[in-house]
Amino acid sequence: MTRLPSERYLAALDADAGRILDLTRTPGALAAAVPACPGWTVADLVRHLGGVYLHKAESVRLGRRAPDDEVDQGPAGDEALLAWFAEALADIRSVVGGDPERAAYSWWAADQTVGFWARRMAQETLVHRVDVEQALGLAPDVDEALAADGVDEVLVAFLPVWLPADGAAAGVRDDLRAHVAVAAAGREWDVRVEGLSAVVAAGPSGAVDRVSGPADALLLWAWGRAGSAGFDVVGEEGVAVLREVLRGATQ
C-alpha cells in the first residue's frame, strides 16, 4: 500500500470542499441536477457529503463504525445547509489533520490509521466536486497524481472488500470472470475478478485484457462519472466485467 503524503490529501480536501462551497453559492446551483446521481440535486449531494464527513469523524472518535441512523442530515434552507456543510468539513478536518500514522478504525483491514481517512475523504470530496462541476456544466480538472492515487484506492481497497461482502446483494453474478491490467500515470495494477471475489496487485500485469490512459479519465470512469473516451481498451469483455463490478463498489 502506498499513500501520498498526508499533507497532499489535506490540501486537496480543503481545495475541493472549498470549490464546492464556492460553486454552490451561485444562484440556482443547489437546485441543479447531478448527472451521475439520478434523482439528486446539488443540495442533496452537499447534504450527503456533509453527512459523510460527520459520520466518519464520529467513527474515528468512537473507534468503530458510527450508527448510520444517528448522522445529522443537515438543516433546511440554502444558507443554513451551506453553513452546516462548512461545520461538517471543519469536524472531519480536525480528525484527519493529525498524525497520519495514529491508529484509527477503518473498514479496510490493511490500513487502520488516521491517514486512511485523510486519503478517503480527499478522494470522496474530489469525486463529489466533479459531480458539482458536471451539474453546472463545467469541465472538471483533476490532478494526475491524486487521480492515480484514486484509481489505486478503488482497485486495491474498495473492490476486494466490496465484492465478497455486498456483491451478491447488488446482483453481481458468481460466474463473472476477468483478468485485466489497468495502467495510468506510469503505474499498473493486475486485477482478477472471479465471481464474488477480486484479487488486485499493484505492479506489472500479464493480463491480455487491458485498460490504460490518463489517470483522471480512468478515475472518473471507475467512479461512473465518465465513459471510456480518452483511453485505450483491449479485450472489451473483460473490461466490461471490471466496469460492472466497479459500478457496484463505488455506489
Side-chain angles (χ1 to χ4, degrees):
M1 175 196 63
T2 302
R3 293 196 308 249
L4 298 175
S6 186
E7 293 79 9
R8 188 73 176 273
Y9 295 127
L10 298 176
L13 172 59
D14 291 343
D16 286 337
R19 172 79 166 155
I20 290 171
L21 280 169
D22 288 344
L23 290 174
T24 51
R25 291 190 176 104
T26 304
L30 287 169
V34 180
C37 305
W40 274 21
T41 65
V42 170
D44 295 322
L45 185 147
V46 168
R47 198 176 302 278
H48 161 76
L49 184 55
V52 168
Y53 290 160
L54 294 174
H55 182 264
K56 304 319 174 193
E58 185 63 11
S59 294
V60 172
R61 283 191 285 263
L62 290 173
R64 57 177 172 80
R65 183 180 177 89
D68 294 341
D69 58 0
E70 295 180 9
V71 176
D72 181 4
Q73 294 302 308
D78 292 357
E79 288 300 321
L81 177 63
L82 295 181
W84 169 84
F85 177 81
E87 292 172 0
L89 171 63
D91 190 19
I92 191 62
R93 187 63 172 76
S94 70
V95 169
V96 302
D99 178 3
E101 300 308 317
R102 181 169 63 85
Y105 155 82
S106 85
W107 49 259
W108 191 31
D111 191 355
Q112 299 279 304
T113 68
V114 167
F116 169 88
W117 289 112
R119 180 194 204 190
R120 178 80 287 282
M121 292 299 95
Q123 293 293 346
E124 181 83 3
T125 306
L126 185 162
V127 170
H128 288 315
R129 183 261 293 173
V130 168
D131 283 334
V132 174
E133 290 173 333
Q134 291 179 339
L136 300 180
L138 304 173
D141 180 43
V142 181
D143 174 80
E144 182 181 53
L146 199 64
D149 179 76
V151 172
D152 182 81
E153 184 196 42
V154 168
L155 294 177
V156 177
F158 271 76
L159 190 56
V161 171
W162 176 84
L163 197 50
D166 299 309
V172 174
R173 305 192 318 273
D174 61 8
D175 63 343
L176 288 180
R177 298 290 184 274
H179 182 202
V180 181
V182 179
R187 301 176 65 177
E188 191 164 327
W189 298 265
D190 182 80
V191 184
R192 294 179 184 268
V193 175
E194 297 186 359
L196 297 175
S197 70
V199 177
V200 181
S205 171
V208 174
D209 293 354
R210 185 177 185 86
V211 55
S212 60
D216 59 345
L218 282 171
L219 178 67
L220 298 186
W221 173 80
W223 277 94
R225 268 58 181 183
S228 58
F231 53 86
D232 297 324
V233 173
V234 176
E236 292 187 3
E237 184 175 344
V239 174
V241 169
L242 176 60
R243 180 68 197 95
E244 180 178 341
V245 294
L246 284 173
R247 184 180 295 110
T250 56
Q251 293 304 307

